[in-house]
Amino acid sequence: MLHTGAVDGGDDKRPVTADNHTPRSAVVVNPVKVTDLDDFRRTVDGALAAAGWPEPTWYETTVEDPGRGQAAAAVEAGAEVVFACGGDGTVMACVTALAGTDVALAVLPQGTGNLLAANLGLSNDLAAGLEVAVERGMRRLDVGAVGDQCFAVMAGMGFDAQMLDSTSETTKRRIGWPAYLVGAAKHLRDRPMRVSIRIDDGPPLRRRARSVLIANVGRLQGGVRLLTDAEPDDGWLDVAVLTPRTLGHWLAMGWAVLRRRDSVPRMEVLRGRKVVITSNRAQPRQLDGDLIEPGRSLKAEIRPESLWLCVPRPERHPDLSVDAGAAAERGERLVEEARRE
């Protein structure tokens, strides 16, 4: 079942197909993110049963292990689909465990700022996440690797990680993803970092940047699309170098992003398969919206077509979130059917 290195994207190897009516599944849940775990479990078990799936195996994350070990145990036990239920840290841990295997990841977001869920158009909609999985829309995605960890959406160094670090959990619970704007406002006037950026075997590029993002997919918190050309399975990492220096620069850049302009002022876009960022001083860093230890460098490389992901149909659409709204409506009917039984 396990692969090493890159794998091809042949549909003949997909873990759950239309003729497999009883796929084995597991749920990796962060109990801290779920208000009523017993009710949550009844809802998930009931919806999967209504769809004809057998009862999943449940694994709870811990402070010491946010999901990687649990997802690996699910793979070892024969799961064909692993549901990641939690915030960015839980999802990223499951991505790391499942990359390179023929086991699919399904996202049931329970955090307030889940980056992968935002790119799937799922928000915190449990019904939509369940429906996307049971409809068997699947796509093999690239992942980025930073050391022994993998990310599905993006890694970052500088302002983006500062914003995450300055956003309180209380505010996120109260107002959702707009809480990140509050965290961002605290750092708009911070001094830039001096960075060297090496793409593949090219010469180092030197910049004074506020943030450098290494992206596999282009959406940020709240579904805002930063990189319009980023594709999740094209074998490339898209690198955004943000160089605003004044509040006016930030406003111009934000307006262009919101308007989905092809050219964004104060943002340089590069592309490569291996990216090394080196700063003149230690910087906060993040993977898929989850903070990692600060450091002076961030090294990422692409692992093409390494992860099976449950996505809304049609699964080959360039936008991973296409049909997510309709899937949510169908999912509500599935959940209601489960509750009647």
Side-chain angles (χ1 to χ4, degrees), residues 35-48:
T35 303
D36 187 335
L37 185 57
D38 290 337
D39 181 67
F40 180 83
R41 181 167 180 167
R42 283 192 296 270
T43 300
V44 173
D45 287 351
L48 293 180

Side-chain angles (χ1 to χ4, degrees), residues 157-180:
M157 184 175 184
F159 171 79
D160 56 301
Q162 287 177 319
M163 174 191 68
L164 295 171
D165 192 35
S166 297
T167 303
S168 76
E169 292 295 327
T170 301
T171 307
K172 284 197 293 183
R173 285 192 295 269
R174 188 168 66 246
I175 66 175
W177 71 263
Y180 291 103

Side-chain angles (χ1 to χ4, degrees), residues 210-285:
R210 292 300 315 281
S211 183
V212 182
L213 295 167
I214 305 171
N216 182 46
V217 185
R219 277 195 172 92
L220 302 174
Q221 308 291 0
V224 176
R225 187 147 193 171
L226 179 68
L227 292 160
T228 56
D229 294 331
E231 297 290 343
D233 52 4
D234 61 1
W236 295 94
L237 291 168
D238 291 76
V239 182
V241 186
L242 309 184
T243 59
R245 296 186 181 180
T246 67
L247 182 58
H249 290 163
W250 280 113
L251 293 174
M253 187 171 65
W255 179 249
V257 169
L258 290 174
R259 295 294 299 273
R260 298 188 178 184
R261 298 279 173 80
D262 291 333
S263 178
V264 177
R266 296 286 171 172
M267 185 176 83
E268 180 182 7
V269 179
L270 309 167
R271 176 172 283 189
R273 291 185 169 86
K274 184 177 181 180
V275 182
V276 180
I277 307 165
T278 305
S279 171
N280 63 322
R281 62 185 187 273
Q283 298 290 335
R285 304 179 301 168

